[in-house]
Amino acid sequence: VKAVAAFFTKSGAMLAEALHSFSDCGNQALLLLGVKQARKPPDASHPFGYGRALYFWSFLVALMLFVGGGVFSIYEGIHKILEPERVEKVWLGFLILGISFALEGAATLSNIKEINKRKGRRAFFQYLRETKDSDLVVVFGENAAAVLGLVLAMIALGLAALTGDGRFDGGGSIAIGVVLILV
């Protein structure tokens, strides 16, 4: 839906969000694969089990998020700054971003509740640094980045619409790419 909205709005920030969503879907599938493999019992070729498979797939998710989302979002942002376009059908962009924000926000809150259950007396960020639940940390990072990316896309789209300057939209795409890379 975000990709369709990016087409109609001509928004680079919306396209960056669409790419982020595509990356997230692939990432979740890889994390599920990692969780499934990590649960396999030990065998002759893996006498200590497959528990580390989850770390491998979590690492692969991080690489996909960086390459698939971050670098391309920055590339798209630079393109939009060098060749700015006026954004169109801004209402459609805000509608899609608003619905996405509600969904991603709910997912993030659910993730935070699960972390709070598992962390015990440790501080939130201390738990994130020390836990071996890498899948939970990766999902939190993705969800937090998604919410922040949506906010950045709304700001960029709004500024581009208010000023008529498409470079704000390109700046939003770059900001979303930087968030993805930092995560």
Side-chain angles (χ1 to χ4, degrees):
V1 172
K2 288 178 187 175
V4 171
F7 175 78
F8 285 113
T9 61
K10 297 184 179 173
S11 168
M14 182 65 78
L15 180 59
E17 272 304 303
L19 292 170
H20 183 192
S21 292
F22 288 134
S23 294
D24 275 353
C25 290
N27 294 344
Q28 296 305 320
L30 290 176
L31 283 176
L32 285 173
L33 177 64
V35 168
K36 184 178 178 181
Q37 283 184 350
R39 290 185 180 149
K40 288 170 56 176
D43 58 25
S45 65
H46 293 85
F48 297 110
Y50 291 83
R52 294 185 182 228
L54 188 54
Y55 295 108
F56 169 75
W57 291 108
S58 296
F59 175 71
L60 199 59
V61 163
L63 287 177
M64 279 186 58
L65 197 58
F66 170 73
V67 175
V71 172
F72 189 82
S73 295
I74 291 172
Y75 166 80
E76 178 64 19
I78 292 169
H79 172 74
K80 289 287 185 182
I81 288 172
L82 295 176
E83 297 178 29
E85 282 184 87
R86 232 181 132 82
V87 292
E88 300 174 359
K89 297 181 178 61
V90 176
W91 65 269
L92 178 62
F94 277 114
L95 176 68
I96 300 302
L97 291 171
I99 292 169
S100 297
F101 183 81
L103 295 170
E104 290 286 0
T108 303
L109 289 176
S110 174
N111 186 236
I112 290 171
K113 286 179 187 175
E114 183 61 31
I115 290 171
N116 284 334
K117 278 189 220 174
R118 295 185 191 186
K119 73 179 180 67
R121 293 180 182 216
R122 287 182 281 182
F124 187 83
F125 288 105
Q126 179 186 4
Y127 173 79
L128 291 178
R129 281 192 308 275
E130 295 174 354
T131 186
K132 295 190 186 294
D133 294 332
S134 63
D135 56 326
L136 193 61
V137 175
V138 169
V139 169
F140 173 73
E142 287 179 352
N143 287 343
V147 169
L148 180 56
L150 289 165
V151 169
L152 292 171
M154 285 187 241
I155 291 169
L157 189 59
L159 286 172
L162 285 173
T163 64
D165 188 350
R167 290 178 292 188
F168 284 108
D169 183 58
S173 184
I174 290 172
I176 291 166
V178 168
V179 166
L180 292 175
I181 289 170
L182 289 176
V183 168

